[in-house]
Amino acid sequence: MCGIVGYIGGDQAAPILLEGLEKLEYRGYDSAGVAVYDQGRVQIAKAKGRLQVLKEMIHGGDDIRGTLGIGHTRWATHGEPSDVNAHPQASVSGKFAVVHNGIIENYLSLKEYLMRKGVAFLSETDTEVVAQLLEYYYHGDILDAVVKVLSKVEGSYGLGIICEDDPDTLYAVRKDSPLVVGLGEGENFIASDVPAILKRTREICRLRDNEIAVIRRCGVTVYNTEKEVIPKTPEHISWDISAAEKGGYEHFMAKEIMEQPKAVRDTISPRIRGGRVVLDQITLTPEQIRAFQRIFIVACGSAYHVGVVAKYILEDLTRVPVEVDVASEFRYRRPIIDEKVLVLVISQSGETADTLAALREAKRCGARVLSIVNVVGSSIANESDDVLYTWAGPEIAVATTKAYSTQLAVVYLLAIYLADALGRLTPEQYADYLRELEALPEKIEKILENKKDIQYYASQNFNAKDIFFIGRNLDYAMSMEGSLKLKEISYIHSDAYAAGELKHGTISLVENGTLVVALATQDRLFDKMMSNVKEVKARGAQVLGVAVEDNRKIEGQVDFVFYIPRACDIMLPSLAVIPLQLFAYYVASMKGCDIDKPRNLAKSVTVE
Ligand code: F6R
């Protein structure tokens, strides 16, 4: 996730911007830059890599003199990490400079439009389109140009804007991407996150969607897109810096769990246009898709669990046989693959050593590799034939949550895309799936609103010694993820079992008080699941059920139920995973574990 900071006041802007960006480093980034109004021109300095590179380049800010500026740390989404793609992005004459968080969904059509008008582009970013549009629509009134641009762009954005025609004003706009205005004495600020400005002010105003802040040294006016003034009430920040970095949450994991509706929305909505799944990034032709005889999925850990869900979904929708394997096994088992195989590689970091080795093995055998990756420009992304990025933003907690959810979202998009190319979906089915997919973020939000129920249940059970997760089909795949999440952060022993497999051995472990989490979201398997619940209850188990809200038949059969909203069967995993993440989180928190950095684990496993 990118970071924004902006300053207008009486001091030199560049050192303040660099200091603010430093406070945003924890969020992860791959390049950084500043733009400062300096003697009639907007001067931009930006560089790929650590902030230190930029700092050295401009000698701690001494090289760019001026008291108005914007700064940015970029986490690549459109275009690889590079100097050119770093922000600020400028308009063609250099008049406007823009920093941007979020995604401009219709940037390609806007870019084509401007190119037809003769505007030349330098970068691959969606942000440059905003800078160019500002200049294109600018006829002497910057606020008018901003309003016009907002009427053209679709997507999510937090924007900081400066223009060389107005050395006394900083502009800020937001939609679906956080942005605050910091209020000082004779100086004011903008920031995507409070820590960036906390050292200089604790008084802030939060911008709401479609609000435009016009910020001068002596005051701030906020307008709506009709140019009407919106009154704002300042808020005093009393948190310390470490709480502020986590957006007020106790742990990054909690923050990332709560970010899931946005992350899933950011991953899905730019790829649904005009009622169709549009995967611009992949070059596979319908003929190539029809030629695949099998699909292999390889990944590690939670990403492998996404693969297990994907197997059920891809087979269901495409009727192409799918095999799923952990990468460390795949790479040494002489898999039978050739050019008729599509290998799907899933990885948050894009650097996992086993997954990368599996990818290379697949390519060596002639397979086509499509990867689902979060980190733009990572090794797995670079070595794949096609990449679909998850736009989750950087994930800081070791235990994955939002990356998992966005990987699943991409699996749905891909399954619909492939099934359509294979002629497996009627227009009605296609439209239904898209409707269901677009409804997911809101349903995830609804589950998160009820997190207190899970917190209560965790408070009753955090001393458990063993916890089993059971489910059938997609619920079994979810059990695997629920179990991994719990054990990795709470250190409680846990295992996941296909519910029908219990009586073949595992049930001997169930005794009085053993906690069993039973996932029962799939209607057609509900009665079978309830038989398995009866089996464990008869041996004294305590059962937490996860079921769909309109199916109350589970009541009385389990000790506690957590309901999730109704969705079509294949999309229920996106909802069922949320209470499992929350349960793991609250149990670990009540045990006092180091949630964001569990013992013996690393965020990116770059060794075999
Ligand atoms: C578990 C977790 C790990 C990763 C695994 C793969 O919460 O985060 O199991 O899923 O190490 O990592 P990536 O996705 O970076 O390849």
Side-chain angles (χ1 to χ4, degrees):
M1 204 94 59
C2 312
I4 289 179
V5 59
Y7 175 76
I8 181 161
D11 292 341
Q12 287 303 311
I16 295 172
L17 298 175
L18 290 172
E19 189 181 63
L21 293 178
E22 216 168 78
K23 295 284 178 286
L24 300 181
E25 279 193 293
Y26 70 93
R27 296 165 56 97
Y29 65 100
D30 47 52
S31 57
V34 293
V36 172
Y37 179 85
D38 183 2
Q39 298 170 46
R41 290 292 296 163
V42 171
Q43 300 287 352
I44 294 181
K46 51 188 189 169
K48 180 181 165 184
R50 310 300 301 166
L51 192 56
Q52 192 57 28
V53 179
L54 174 69
K55 268 192 193 162
E56 281 165 18
M57 194 167 113
I58 56 174
H59 300 101
D62 289 351
D63 292 2
I64 309 188
R65 312 287 300 167
T67 56
L68 163 67
I70 47 180
H72 194 259
T73 45
R74 174 175 187 250
W75 168 269
T77 56
H78 294 66
E80 59 173 17
S82 68
D83 293 353
V84 174
N85 289 336
H87 299 198
Q89 288 290 323
S91 60
V92 66
S93 72
K95 197 182 270 299
F96 284 92
V98 173
V99 288
H100 167 218
N101 285 2
I103 293 171
I104 305 297
E105 291 170 9
N106 60 339
Y107 85 104
L108 263 184
S109 57
L110 293 170
K111 186 169 180 174
E112 280 159 14
Y113 171 79
L114 289 172
M115 285 170 78
R116 280 198 301 276
K117 302 280 174 191
V119 178
F121 281 77
L122 285 180
S123 79
E124 300 160 274
T125 63
D126 49 343
T127 307
E128 189 181 356
V129 168
V130 178
Q132 302 282 25
L133 277 177
L134 280 166
E135 181 160 329
Y136 184 74
Y137 288 119
Y138 174 60
H139 304 293
D141 185 324
I142 298 171
L143 187 56
D144 276 349
V146 172
V147 170
K148 183 77 182 174
V149 170
L150 296 191
S151 72
K152 298 287 171 189
V153 294
E154 290 164 16
S156 60
Y157 42 82
L159 294 168
I161 302 163
I162 59 174
C163 173
E164 68 179 26
D165 286 357
D166 188 354
D168 297 315
T169 314
L170 166 63
Y171 295 83
V173 187
R174 73 150 263 172
K175 184 174 161 269
D176 293 332
S177 186
L179 205 58
V180 300
V181 179
L183 308 169
E185 294 282 318
E187 58 181 15
N188 291 305
F189 309 82
I190 58 168
S192 52
D193 303 78
V194 175
I197 52 174
L198 210 49
K199 205 172 154 199
R200 299 194 64 110
T201 182
R202 285 186 168 269
E203 306 306 313
I204 65 149
C205 279
R206 292 182 196 277
L207 291 185
R208 291 183 185 282
D209 281 353
N210 300 311
E211 288 182 348
I212 307 165
V214 176
I215 303 153
R216 304 206 167 87
R217 287 174 183 83
C218 50
V220 178
T221 313
V222 177
Y223 297 92
N224 63 16
T225 47
E226 304 296 322
K227 291 186 23 182
E228 293 160 344
V229 174
I230 308 288
K232 301 294 277 186
T233 315
E235 179 186 327
H236 179 76
I237 298 290
S238 49
W239 317 326
D240 65 12
I241 192 98
S242 92
E245 280 180 356
K246 294 172 192 138
Y249 293 99
E250 210 178 322
H251 302 99
F252 282 111
M253 185 178 174
K255 177 169 177 274
E256 287 160 5
I257 288 175
M258 297 307 285
E259 280 171 359
Q260 291 181 103
K262 178 175 185 312
V264 170
R265 194 174 287 123
D266 283 352
T267 300
I268 292 172
S269 49
R271 290 165 168 145
I272 299 181
R273 283 183 241 144
R276 306 291 302 166
V277 173
V278 183
L279 302 180
D280 287 328
Q281 303 85 348
I282 68 172
T283 54
L284 278 174
T285 61
E287 293 68 42
Q288 285 169 321
I289 293 172
R290 281 193 285 273
F292 291 131
Q293 292 181 348
R294 265 171 326 135
I295 299 174
F296 261 82
I297 304 175
V298 285
C300 299
S302 290
Y304 164 74
H305 295 156
V306 172
V308 180
V309 181
K311 172 183 162 67
Y312 287 107
I313 294 168
L314 285 166
E315 285 190 341
D316 190 15
L317 264 62
T318 66
R319 306 311 295 156
V320 176
V322 180
E323 272 196 51
V324 52
D325 215 344
V326 286
S328 54
E329 286 298 304
F330 175 91
R331 61 185 288 195
Y332 292 120
R333 78 170 165 92
R334 299 211 298 134
I336 304 165
I337 44 178
D338 54 25
E339 65 286 349
K340 296 196 195 74
V341 169
L342 173 66
V343 173
L344 196 59
V345 171
I346 308 176
S347 174
Q348 185 285 129
S349 62
E351 300 296 347
T352 303
D354 282 320
T355 312
L356 186 57
L359 178 158
R360 289 177 180 156
E361 175 64 11
K363 290 205 78 169
R364 199 185 57 76
C365 298
R368 172 114 186 175
V369 175
L370 191 163
S371 63
I372 299 176
V373 178
N374 196 39
V375 179
V376 175
S378 56
S379 306
I380 290 175
N382 283 342
E383 294 190 29
S384 301
D385 297 303
D386 293 293
V387 192
L388 285 170
Y389 285 112
T390 48
W391 287 317
E395 200 175 50
I396 293 168
V398 164
T400 182
T401 52
K402 62 176 180 169
Y404 177 96
S405 285
T406 53
Q407 286 162 355
L408 216 49
V410 172
V411 164
Y412 294 132
L413 286 164
L414 183 66
I416 296 167
Y417 186 84
L418 295 179
D420 180 54
L422 294 169
R424 296 268 180 209
L425 297 178
T426 64
E428 293 73 31
Q429 285 170 321
Y430 191 98
D432 282 351
Y433 281 135
L434 287 201
R435 215 176 5 260
E436 291 276 355
L437 194 49
E438 288 183 294
L440 280 180
E442 211 171 303
K443 291 180 184 173
I444 296 173
E445 248 155 40
K446 207 169 147 204
I447 298 172
L448 292 171
E449 280 164 20
N450 294 331
K451 62 182 191 295
K452 284 230 152 9
D453 292 352
I454 286 287
Q455 188 176 16
Y456 168 75
Y457 190 73
S459 73
Q460 305 297 301
N461 290 283
F462 70 96
N463 280 324
K465 292 273 167 294
D466 298 290
I467 302 183
F468 296 103
F469 288 75
I470 59 171
R472 287 170 177 262
N473 285 198
L474 284 167
D475 281 335
Y476 171 47
M478 300 323 294
S479 301
M480 295 167 108
E481 178 58 6
S483 170
L484 176 63
K485 213 80 311 170
L486 179 82
K487 65 189 148 210
E488 68 179 325
I489 60 169
S490 75
Y491 316 141
I492 294 177
H493 169 260
S494 168
D495 263 314
Y497 290 100
E501 190 60 17
L502 279 178
K503 54 184 151 310
H504 299 286
T506 316
I507 204 159
S508 66
L509 294 170
V510 176
E511 53 187 23
N512 238 355
T514 304
L515 182 55
V516 175
V517 180
L519 287 128
T521 70
Q522 303 288 309
D523 282 346
R524 72 192 171 90
L525 296 168
F526 183 82
D527 291 342
K528 300 274 172 217
M529 260 313 285
M530 287 308 106
S531 305
N532 300 126
V533 165
K534 281 198 182 82
E535 286 162 10
V536 293
K537 280 215 67 80
R539 278 136 189 109
Q542 271 276 334
V543 180
L544 163 66
V546 177
V548 176
E549 64 189 2
D550 58 9
N551 180 2
R552 300 277 158 162
K553 284 192 291 182
I554 195 167
E555 272 165 29
Q557 310 214 46
V558 297
D559 299 284
F560 189 92
V561 197
F562 190 87
Y563 287 109
I564 58 171
R566 166 65 64 196
C568 65
D569 282 359
I570 63 161
M571 292 186 199
L572 284 167
S574 274
L575 306 180
V577 74
I578 310 292
L580 304 183
Q581 296 168 344
L582 289 168
F583 181 61
Y585 174 77
Y586 286 126
V587 166
S589 158
M590 282 159 203
K591 287 189 72 190
C593 298
D594 188 356
I595 293 185
D596 287 335
K597 291 196 179 83
R599 68 185 180 208
N600 309 338
L601 293 176
K603 183 65 187 160
S604 179
V605 186
T606 52
V607 290
E608 188 177 351

